[in-house]
Amino acid sequence: MKIDKKSPLTYILISLPFVLWAVVGIYPSYDDWSTLSSPNFDADWAKFFLPYGSVWRPFDALMGYVVGAAPQLFPALNHVCIIFGHLLGAILVMKLSQLLGFGRAAQFVATIFFWISPCMLGTVLSCDSLNQTYSQMWGMAAVWFYLSVKGRGRYTAWAACVMLAALSKDNGIAWAVVPPVLAFAFGREDMRSASRHLLFGVAIAVAYGCIRIALPSTEYYNPDYHTFLLAKKIKEIAIFVGYTWVAADYVSIVHAASRCLPLAALTLVLSLTFVYMMFVRSPRLWLTRRFAGLAVCIIIVMSPHLLISLSVMNTYAGLGMSALLVAFVADHTKRHHPSLLRTAFAMYVAAALITDIHHWYKAYTTAAVGRDMAREAIRLAGKPVKNAYCVITDDDQKKFSSFCVLPQDAFGAQAAAVAHETQYKWPLHAEDTIIPRDHAHEARTIARRVLDTGRFDCVWLIDKSSVSIMRKENK
């Protein structure tokens, strides 16, 4: 793989130390505390490697036991693995751009787009998203093997990569049918061959489904996977389109406590030329087989999320195919309007960097509140606590994904941040109760009742970022 001063990998590798420094320091929050890839000490390990509720993610389970054996590695190891997976994804975007015949300028634009798009933020800034990163990476690898390997090895590599994508995160099985669709769109397969290979892809998906159904599973109910609301789906589609194509500073728009409309307006304006180049300047491109094929591939890989539940993190699932769509449009623009491509992408990069840095800052600072709360809880306890209870007064603010979490989410359920700060030595057991804000006056009464049971050594009272304690002796 050749790397020179004009290669996108040159700029990515230059930025890599700064990216690693930025993400390694982010404290866990929200879903990070409860994901399968967080420290796991449960001796019944098999239930986590087998289908667990609505998911089957053995690689997450493996990471959970790795960081469980060495808690000091959490969440830094998770973050490093995620960045490494994102880097591999960027390399695959560049290699696929080459295989599909795009020029060097288009390869450059697509690869950098993949690396810095705000679409990747919910994934690379969260240690809960190891699964999303590698599901995408293995899916892209399946496409690369399909296009570059001949003979029977193509089918073996294709099937293996799709299975690895699906075992990373369930939605990865959608990649089973992407390679022949993309190959047909770019004239690398005729209709007959593409149809035959599409059936092979369906067979991979069916085999995965049969294996999963045959395995024993642990029942675990997740309401997000069982609720379909039309208004919610429209909102999720808007999130996907916005984060993928418009590098606006959404924190400054959506999150009331962080609202900064001038900054939002600046990033939005900087993004508009890129949006114009992609979707307005040459509408006839929409009618080409290549554009339509790439659009269909994006829909395929996003469909599991759009059918079940899509958050900011999940928009990453379509980023690889979206980057190839960028390469296609950029290649056309380079031939006809090279100055437009340079201007549009330079402005997009500026908008994306502003958005990325601001989102990182908010994720870092709001998550760090949980660390400070945990340290205060430890100070108030004065000594290791075996059994603890938390009474949490529900916050009246709203969080914005993993970028602007509430203090109670950063502190975590069952005092997760305290366990993290003590290297998971104590508390050995913790429970909690969340009460509405208009019942805040009942917090101490509930704490006394808990202490009266004799089961708990102390109760931490959590109200936004404030932490206080009640113990047996001062009940």
Side-chain angles (χ1 to χ4, degrees), residues 385-390 429-432 447 449-459 470-472:
V385 171
K386 184 177 180 180
N387 298 304
Y389 201 95
C390 297
H429 175 75
E431 297 179 23
D432 62 23
R449 291 174 187 164
V450 169
L451 291 170
D452 286 342
T453 66
R455 295 175 50 222
F456 298 93
D457 303 311
C458 73
V459 176
M470 291 180 66
R471 283 183 276 239
K472 292 180 180 178

Side-chain angles (χ1 to χ4, degrees), residues 66-88:
V66 169
V67 293
Q72 67 273 17
L73 298 178
F74 179 75
L77 180 62
N78 302 62
H79 286 307
V80 169
C81 290
I82 288 166
I83 292 301
F84 182 66
H86 186 55
L87 173 63
L88 291 176

Side-chain angles (χ1 to χ4, degrees), residues 169-461:
K169 189 169 186 176
D170 317 64
N171 64 281
I173 198 62
W175 289 95
V177 297
V178 168
V181 173
L182 188 66
F184 174 73
F186 280 79
R188 298 176 67 96
E189 298 281 2
D190 59 28
M191 177 64 79
R192 183 177 179 181
S193 296
S195 298
R196 186 174 69 253
H197 292 160
L198 190 62
L199 289 175
F200 181 79
V202 171
I204 296 173
V206 170
Y208 167 82
C210 291
I211 293 169
R212 179 163 176 169
I213 292 172
L215 292 173
S217 63
T218 300
E219 291 298 323
Y220 178 82
Y221 181 75
N222 187 334
D224 287 340
Y225 293 160
H226 298 85
T227 303
F228 186 95
L229 299 173
L230 181 60
K232 183 172 180 283
K233 292 302 153 188
I234 294 173
K235 178 182 177 182
E236 290 175 353
I237 292 170
I239 288 172
F240 167 68
V241 172
Y243 261 90
T244 301
W245 306 114
V246 186
D249 184 14
Y250 296 98
V251 164
S252 294
I253 299 171
V254 179
H255 191 239
S258 308
R259 189 160 291 148
C260 179
L261 295 182
L263 185 60
L266 173 63
T267 52
L268 179 60
V269 169
L270 287 172
S271 298
L272 289 180
T273 306
F274 179 77
V275 174
Y276 169 78
M277 180 195 78
M278 283 296 304
F279 301 111
V280 180
R281 178 65 181 80
S282 302
R284 64 181 180 275
L285 288 179
W286 296 22
L287 303 177
T288 63
R289 191 165 77 173
R290 293 186 172 192
F291 190 102
L294 285 165
V296 168
C297 289
I298 294 170
I299 293 170
I300 290 171
V301 296
M302 289 303 303
S303 59
H305 289 300
L306 293 173
L307 290 172
I308 301 174
S309 180
L310 186 145
S311 66
V312 171
M313 182 190 79
N314 303 137
T315 60
Y316 186 82
L319 184 57
M321 288 294 105
S322 298
L324 294 182
L325 185 62
V326 168
F328 171 67
V329 176
D331 202 45
H332 177 270
T333 306
K334 172 65 177 177
R335 292 196 301 270
H336 298 88
H337 303 280
S339 61
L340 172 61
L341 176 61
R342 288 193 297 269
T343 301
F345 193 61
M347 294 173 68
Y348 176 86
V349 168
L353 291 178
I354 293 170
T355 300
D356 292 351
I357 291 170
H358 190 207
H359 282 46
W360 164 81
Y361 175 76
K362 298 302 294 187
Y364 177 87
T365 54
T366 59
V369 172
R371 177 197 60 206
D372 297 338
M373 292 170 67
R375 291 175 179 174
E376 177 63 7
I378 292 168
R379 186 191 69 79
L380 291 171
K383 61 181 180 179
V385 171
K386 184 177 180 180
N387 298 304
Y389 201 95
C390 297
V391 178
I392 303 169
T393 301
D394 203 14
D395 208 326
D396 54 358
Q397 300 294 318
K398 290 184 178 181
K399 63 175 175 288
F400 176 57
S401 186
S402 57
F403 306 128
C404 299
V405 297
L406 301 176
Q408 68 191 51
D409 295 322
F411 188 72
Q414 291 87 48
V418 175
H420 179 66
E421 285 297 304
T422 63
Q423 294 292 291
Y424 295 88
K425 295 176 181 176
W426 62 272
L428 301 180
H429 175 75
E431 297 179 23
D432 62 23
T433 294
I434 300 177
I435 61 175
R437 178 148 295 277
D438 56 2
H439 290 183
H441 60 282
E442 299 178 8
R444 299 187 71 84
T445 301
I446 295 172
R448 291 190 189 97
R449 291 174 187 164
V450 169
L451 291 170
D452 286 342
T453 66
R455 295 175 50 222
F456 298 93
D457 303 311
C458 73
V459 176
W460 285 303
L461 304 172

Side-chain angles (χ1 to χ4, degrees), residues 9 12 15-16 19-20 23 78-94 110-125 129-130 132-138 140 316-317 319-320 323 356:
L9 292 185
I12 289 174
S15 70
L16 187 59
V19 173
L20 286 170
V23 301
N78 302 62
H79 286 307
V80 169
C81 290
I82 288 166
I83 292 301
F84 182 66
H86 186 55
L87 173 63
L88 291 176
I91 293 172
L92 284 166
V93 167
M94 187 183 74
T111 308
I112 297 298
F113 171 84
F114 181 90
W115 181 248
I116 69 169
S117 167
C119 190
M120 58 80 188
L121 289 170
T123 294
V124 302
L125 297 182
S129 55
L130 190 73
Q132 190 69 68
T133 307
Y134 283 89
S135 178
Q136 159 104 270
M137 190 277 290
W138 285 116
M140 295 285 285
Y316 186 82
L319 184 57
D356 292 351

